[in-house]
Amino acid sequence: MAPPPINDRLRGPDRTKGETVMYSGIVAMALVALSLVVLLYASHRGAAVTTDPLTVLPAQSGWMAQEHALSRFHARWYLASIVFQAFDVEMLFMYPWAVVVIEEGISAVVEMFLFLGALLVAVAWAWREGAFRWA
């Protein structure tokens, strides 16, 4: 006798049992996720510290802030900060050079003056572009 077709096997009594097992896993995971969210929310509400607005307001050198924290700056401030960061990082290269300049000799001095010349060209470019105008 030949086995029953696949469709007949799926309609058998095991079909409902398999669906129940499959859905019970999904329901269990949803309950675990929901209970975790409720637990985290409850722990946050329980551990939250109420702040006194007079002690937590932002201050700028003792003065109250006059603008919003997300206010925009003029584009020249971004250029000035990039120039500052670039030269600040470039100056970090001078410290190891100062340590080995005696060992390396005159070639290290020539290389440093070439480096400083490149920095001077960058300063001239930034000056020409108006990075140092504040008004």
Side-chain angles (χ1 to χ4, degrees), residues 28-114:
M29 290 302 292
L31 287 175
V32 167
L34 182 66
S35 63
L36 182 64
V37 167
V38 168
L39 178 70
L40 287 173
Y41 181 74
S43 65
H44 168 70
R45 295 293 286 177
V49 178
T50 57
T51 57
D52 183 17
L54 293 178
T55 59
V56 297
L57 287 175
Q60 297 176 347
S61 301
W63 297 93
M64 295 302 296
Q66 299 296 320
E67 66 275 346
H68 191 271
L70 298 177
S71 63
R72 295 179 182 227
F73 294 100
H74 194 279
R76 80 171 63 102
W77 298 110
Y78 295 109
L79 184 58
S81 64
I82 289 172
V83 167
F84 171 75
Q85 290 295 320
F87 289 115
D88 190 37
V89 171
E90 298 299 331
M91 288 297 125
L92 290 176
F93 289 121
M94 288 186 150
Y95 293 116
W97 171 82
V99 172
V100 299
V101 69
I102 298 296
E103 297 169 3
E104 295 297 321
I106 193 72
S107 66
V109 174
V110 170
E111 288 175 5
M112 183 49 69
F113 276 106
L114 288 173

Side-chain angles (χ1 to χ4, degrees), residues 74-81 83 123 125-135:
H74 194 279
R76 80 171 63 102
W77 298 110
Y78 295 109
L79 184 58
S81 64
V83 167
V123 168
W125 173 81
W127 193 319
R128 185 189 66 157
E129 291 295 320
F132 302 123
R133 279 189 305 218
W134 304 112

